[in-house]
Amino acid sequence: DTAVSQTPKYLVTQMGNDKSIKCEQNLGHDTMYWYKQDSKKFLKIMFSYNNKELIINETVPNRFSPKSPDKAHLNLHINSLELGDSAVYFCASSSLPRLAGGLSEQFFGPGTRLTVL
Amino acid sequence: AQKITQTQPGMFVQEKEAVTLDCTYDTSDQSYGLFWYKQPSSGEMIFLIYQGSYDEQNATEGRYSLNFQKARKSANLVISASQLGDSAMYFCAMRINQAGTALIFGKGTTLSVSS
């Protein structure tokens, strides 16, 4: 009964290819995210979706396109892959806090290690 | 600008000792949340503890406690009675806006626990 799942766990591909990473959560959360962890382990938000609508889109190349077919899924499509896209990509989900400043724990998926050759 | 700073790239501690991992933050918002996550070598992100900006008491979760000093904008993680399994990377994070509730992360601290 995995809370947040991602597929695939590992993805090795050539430069210029197009690839997708899938994410699903079974927690009933209304907000989902994509984070990128670079080779120095730095984690940065890429996108945030609330009820299938894009809320946050950080300065990410438009080669990256998130797609949310429903509240439980947030997939990440990457076109024309570049060497610099090699990283670990984490999907996460949370509910909105009930109170301002309240807890809304983010549950992370296991990560997808993308290697671009 | 919202920012999280972790100044300790690495920390070393012996088993059963307590260790404090430092975290300072910068935000002009009155309402925010502070999180600590653990990332072992296997790579998953494990939620440890949370402190809301309006919480008057320091958060505690088992061996983890958060030393929250609002005036100093610090949210240090204290691990009591360290165990070998605590060896991992630890990230401090802050929720950056109410609508998206995304997190911004510090650069992390690698904790090594020895026997």
mmCIF file of all heavy atoms in Angstrom, chain A residues 45-48 54-62 64 66:
data_model
loop_
_atom_site.group_PDB
_atom_site.id
_atom_site.type_symbol
_atom_site.label_atom_id
_atom_site.label_comp_id
_atom_site.label_asym_id
_atom_site.label_seq_id
_atom_site.Cartn_x
_atom_site.Cartn_y
_atom_site.Cartn_z
ATOM 1 N N ILE A 45 12.103 22.749 -5.840
ATOM 2 C CA ILE A 45 10.761 22.573 -6.382
ATOM 3 C C ILE A 45 10.766 22.901 -7.872
ATOM 4 O O ILE A 45 11.413 23.870 -8.322
ATOM 5 C CB ILE A 45 9.730 23.446 -5.639
ATOM 6 C CG1 ILE A 45 8.312 23.227 -6.176
ATOM 7 C CG2 ILE A 45 10.111 24.915 -5.680
ATOM 8 C CD1 ILE A 45 7.724 21.889 -5.849
ATOM 9 N N MET A 46 10.058 22.087 -8.643
ATOM 10 C CA MET A 46 9.886 22.371 -10.066
ATOM 11 C C MET A 46 8.457 22.822 -10.328
ATOM 12 O O MET A 46 8.214 23.859 -10.922
ATOM 13 C CB MET A 46 10.184 21.126 -10.886
ATOM 14 C CG MET A 46 11.594 20.598 -10.757
ATOM 15 S SD MET A 46 11.796 19.034 -11.616
ATOM 16 C CE MET A 46 11.685 19.545 -13.320
ATOM 17 N N PHE A 47 7.507 22.003 -9.909
ATOM 18 C CA PHE A 47 6.101 22.271 -10.166
ATOM 19 C C PHE A 47 5.270 21.895 -8.947
ATOM 20 O O PHE A 47 5.628 21.000 -8.186
ATOM 21 C CB PHE A 47 5.579 21.431 -11.350
ATOM 22 C CG PHE A 47 6.301 21.646 -12.640
ATOM 23 C CD1 PHE A 47 7.233 20.720 -13.078
ATOM 24 C CD2 PHE A 47 6.042 22.760 -13.418
ATOM 25 C CE1 PHE A 47 7.910 20.906 -14.271
ATOM 26 C CE2 PHE A 47 6.705 22.955 -14.606
ATOM 27 C CZ PHE A 47 7.637 22.029 -15.040
ATOM 28 N N SER A 48 4.125 22.571 -8.854
ATOM 29 C CA SER A 48 3.151 22.216 -7.842
ATOM 30 C C SER A 48 1.775 22.280 -8.483
ATOM 31 O O SER A 48 1.455 23.244 -9.197
ATOM 32 C CB SER A 48 3.237 23.185 -6.661
ATOM 33 O OG SER A 48 2.130 23.050 -5.815
ATOM 34 N N LEU A 54 -2.124 23.955 -12.210
ATOM 35 C CA LEU A 54 -0.747 24.356 -11.933
ATOM 36 C C LEU A 54 -0.726 25.542 -10.979
ATOM 37 O O LEU A 54 -1.355 26.567 -11.223
ATOM 38 C CB LEU A 54 -0.049 24.728 -13.247
ATOM 39 C CG LEU A 54 1.415 25.130 -13.144
ATOM 40 C CD1 LEU A 54 2.263 23.956 -12.671
ATOM 41 C CD2 LEU A 54 1.920 25.634 -14.493
ATOM 42 N N ILE A 55 0.017 25.400 -9.869
ATOM 43 C CA ILE A 55 0.102 26.464 -8.880
ATOM 44 C C ILE A 55 1.485 27.121 -8.931
ATOM 45 O O ILE A 55 1.619 28.315 -8.864
ATOM 46 C CB ILE A 55 -0.150 25.920 -7.453
ATOM 47 C CG1 ILE A 55 -1.523 25.280 -7.373
ATOM 48 C CG2 ILE A 55 0.017 27.018 -6.415
ATOM 49 C CD1 ILE A 55 -2.665 26.221 -7.576
ATOM 50 N N ILE A 56 2.501 26.284 -8.976
ATOM 51 C CA ILE A 56 3.868 26.785 -9.005
ATOM 52 C C ILE A 56 4.575 26.222 -10.221
ATOM 53 O O ILE A 56 4.498 25.040 -10.505
ATOM 54 C CB ILE A 56 4.648 26.352 -7.742
ATOM 55 C CG1 ILE A 56 4.100 27.047 -6.506
ATOM 56 C CG2 ILE A 56 6.138 26.650 -7.891
ATOM 57 C CD1 ILE A 56 4.746 26.576 -5.221
ATOM 58 N N ASN A 57 5.253 27.094 -10.931
ATOM 59 C CA ASN A 57 6.105 26.653 -12.029
ATOM 60 C C ASN A 57 7.386 27.454 -11.892
ATOM 61 O O ASN A 57 7.447 28.610 -12.282
ATOM 62 C CB ASN A 57 5.425 26.927 -13.367
ATOM 63 C CG ASN A 57 6.282 26.478 -14.545
ATOM 64 O OD1 ASN A 57 7.422 26.060 -14.370
ATOM 65 N ND2 ASN A 57 5.734 26.566 -15.731
ATOM 66 N N GLU A 58 8.370 26.835 -11.251
ATOM 67 C CA GLU A 58 9.626 27.523 -11.052
ATOM 68 C C GLU A 58 10.340 27.665 -12.396
ATOM 69 O O GLU A 58 9.851 27.212 -13.421
ATOM 70 C CB GLU A 58 10.489 26.765 -10.037
ATOM 71 C CG GLU A 58 9.940 26.854 -8.626
ATOM 72 C CD GLU A 58 9.966 28.255 -8.085
ATOM 73 O OE1 GLU A 58 11.036 28.905 -8.143
ATOM 74 O OE2 GLU A 58 8.922 28.725 -7.606
ATOM 75 N N THR A 59 11.503 28.274 -12.378
ATOM 76 C CA THR A 59 12.207 28.536 -13.637
ATOM 77 C C THR A 59 12.758 27.232 -14.189
ATOM 78 O O THR A 59 13.927 26.899 -14.035
ATOM 79 C CB THR A 59 13.349 29.532 -13.419
ATOM 80 O OG1 THR A 59 14.132 29.088 -12.296
ATOM 81 C CG2 THR A 59 12.805 30.910 -13.129
ATOM 82 N N VAL A 60 11.842 26.494 -14.795
ATOM 83 C CA VAL A 60 12.184 25.202 -15.374
ATOM 84 C C VAL A 60 12.066 25.330 -16.888
ATOM 85 O O VAL A 60 11.120 25.946 -17.376
ATOM 86 C CB VAL A 60 11.210 24.126 -14.846
ATOM 87 C CG1 VAL A 60 11.472 22.794 -15.498
ATOM 88 C CG2 VAL A 60 11.316 24.008 -13.342
ATOM 89 N N PRO A 61 13.008 24.779 -17.636
ATOM 90 C CA PRO A 61 12.896 24.858 -19.096
ATOM 91 C C PRO A 61 11.569 24.311 -19.583
ATOM 92 O O PRO A 61 11.023 23.356 -18.991
ATOM 93 C CB PRO A 61 14.062 23.988 -19.586
ATOM 94 C CG PRO A 61 15.024 23.955 -18.458
ATOM 95 C CD PRO A 61 14.211 24.060 -17.193
ATOM 96 N N ASN A 62 11.036 24.879 -20.649
ATOM 97 C CA ASN A 62 9.732 24.405 -21.112
ATOM 98 C C ASN A 62 9.820 23.040 -21.775
ATOM 99 O O ASN A 62 8.815 22.527 -22.277
ATOM 100 C CB ASN A 62 9.069 25.432 -22.034
ATOM 101 C CG ASN A 62 9.934 25.778 -23.218
ATOM 102 O OD1 ASN A 62 10.900 25.080 -23.511
ATOM 103 N ND2 ASN A 62 9.594 26.868 -23.899
ATOM 104 N N PHE A 64 10.264 20.652 -19.958
ATOM 105 C CA PHE A 64 9.624 19.884 -18.897
ATOM 106 C C PHE A 64 8.147 20.260 -18.863
ATOM 107 O O PHE A 64 7.810 21.434 -18.718
ATOM 108 C CB PHE A 64 10.247 20.213 -17.531
ATOM 109 C CG PHE A 64 11.640 19.701 -17.365
ATOM 110 C CD1 PHE A 64 12.714 20.362 -17.946
ATOM 111 C CD2 PHE A 64 11.887 18.561 -16.630
ATOM 112 C CE1 PHE A 64 14.014 19.888 -17.794
ATOM 113 C CE2 PHE A 64 13.175 18.078 -16.462
ATOM 114 C CZ PHE A 64 14.237 18.745 -17.050
ATOM 115 N N PRO A 66 4.608 19.094 -16.934
ATOM 116 C CA PRO A 66 3.836 18.231 -16.041
ATOM 117 C C PRO A 66 2.425 18.044 -16.599
ATOM 118 O O PRO A 66 1.888 18.931 -17.264
ATOM 119 C CB PRO A 66 3.809 19.028 -14.738
ATOM 120 C CG PRO A 66 3.924 20.444 -15.155
ATOM 121 C CD PRO A 66 4.658 20.486 -16.463
#
